[in-house]
Amino acid sequence: MIPSEFDYVKAGSVQEAIGLLQQHGDDAKVLAGGHSLIPLLKLRLASPAVLVDISGIGDLRGIKSGGDKVTIGALTTHNDLEQSAELKGSFPILSEAATLIGDPMVRNRGTFGGSLAHADPAGDWPAVALALGAQMHITGSGGERTVAADDFFIDILTSDVQPGELLTSIDLPMPSGKVGMSYQKFSHPASGYAVVGVAAMVTLDGSGNCSSARVAVTGAGAKAVRLTSVEEALVGKSLTEENVAAAAGTAGEGIDYLGDIYASEEYRAHLVKVFAKRAVLAAAGNVK
Ligand SMILES: Cc1cc2nc3c(=O)[nH]c(=O)nc-3n(C[C@H](O)[C@H](O)[C@H](O)COP(=O)(O)OP(=O)(O)OC[C@H]3O[C@@H](n4cnc5c(N)ncnc54)[C@H](O)[C@@H]3O)c2cc1C
């Protein structure tokens, strides 16, 4: 439970952090809130030679609304998202999901960007980012690039952030029209991590039918994914319990389910359908 020896450097700016990451290449790891990385170091599942601490870079923390999007700095904590009055109006799902993460200590230290970059298969934010159509801003020595959430989660504990790069901020497109959203999860009773969690955002047309839906699951397989069959089955329908149950019944196609001591593959497959239905019905109930 004692990490192997490492050097520690606290970066004062994004440029300094990128310079340090470039200098040390694969030997370096970014340290943000530390609530995923430190346990990995202690278990010696990661043994970087250098930790580049970005937690003091003020530019990376905060929430800015501007026109058609909200921009969230990578170092914005789970607690910041839970408490933000600004976000409660347009993105109530952020506060809803944040309250379900770990415990107050985890929520005070853990960051939105760290959670997304880490791409834990049981993390909550990846499903929410997919449902909201987030755009990730990643900076490296060559400048900034933007990656859609749909392309960001690559595999178990693997996102599109490359060695030498930083996830700096995340844009959420401002929802327009009659929109509802919700995140529902079956939590692991000890850690709070998602055994299965489903995020849903639905938009209704003038006659009250679903005109678009984004539904995504975490916890089920190696990475969070959208439940496209559910989305397609919802469009054009009234979001009655019967229609939503029928759409949710298609959930899980193509997922290579995880099985572990907490939940078998079969149980996770069952939970995905149950929580897809709950999330879509809750989103429909929240439409405003
Ligand atoms: C007891 C406990 C319970 C938890 N329960 C939950 C839960 O219910 N749901 C949940 O989703 N999570 C849970 N977590 C995880 C927690 O939310 C983490 O804080 C989060 O996943 C990672 O954020 P961090 O800022 O701590 O990242 P760190 O631990 O500092 O970093 C994680 C990884 O991401 C990389 N990284 C971090 N920031 C960046 C960046 N800006 N750019 C590039 N790479 C970066 C690091 O190099 C590292 O590889 C729990 C953790 C603990 C300890």
Side-chain angles (χ1 to χ4, degrees), residues 113-182:
S115 182
L116 293 168
H118 188 56
D120 193 302
D124 296 297
W125 292 129
V128 175
L130 284 166
L132 297 180
Q135 299 280 328
M136 320 297 188
H137 295 289
I138 300 168
T139 303
S141 59
E144 185 182 293
R145 62 194 180 94
T146 304
V147 180
D150 286 343
D151 302 319
F152 184 77
F153 304 106
I154 309 292
D155 202 346
I156 196 158
L157 299 179
T158 310
S159 68
D160 192 42
V161 182
Q162 303 299 321
E165 291 186 321
L166 269 189
L167 174 62
T168 49
S169 65
I170 299 94
D171 284 347
L172 302 179
M174 197 62 90
S176 66
K178 294 169 72 180
V179 178
M181 52 188 81
S182 183

Side-chain angles (χ1 to χ4, degrees), residues 1-24:
M1 291 295 163
I2 298 174
S4 53
E5 205 171 302
F6 56 82
D7 287 333
Y8 169 89
V9 195
K10 187 153 187 170
S13 68
V14 170
Q15 281 324 312
E16 188 187 349
I18 300 289
L20 288 162
L21 292 172
Q22 295 287 331
Q23 184 187 333
H24 295 287

Side-chain angles (χ1 to χ4, degrees), residues 36-123:
S36 290
L37 184 55
I38 303 285
L40 289 181
L41 298 181
K42 286 179 144 189
L43 293 167
R44 298 206 177 194
L45 293 172
S47 303
V50 184
L51 282 191
V52 178
D53 185 350
I54 61 168
S55 65
I57 306 176
D59 292 351
L60 291 180
R61 186 166 178 180
I63 299 161
K64 283 187 215 122
S65 301
D68 56 357
K69 65 181 183 198
V70 164
T71 301
I72 300 173
L75 285 180
T76 305
T77 64
H78 310 318
N79 184 59
D80 292 338
L81 297 173
E82 181 181 345
Q83 301 301 331
S84 166
E86 190 178 353
L87 291 175
K88 278 191 178 115
S90 309
F91 295 101
I93 192 173
L94 296 176
S95 161
E96 184 185 26
T99 57
L100 302 175
I101 294 178
D103 53 38
M105 202 166 86
V106 173
R107 299 198 285 273
N108 276 321
R109 293 290 305 173
T111 66
F112 191 47
S115 182
L116 293 168
H118 188 56
D120 193 302

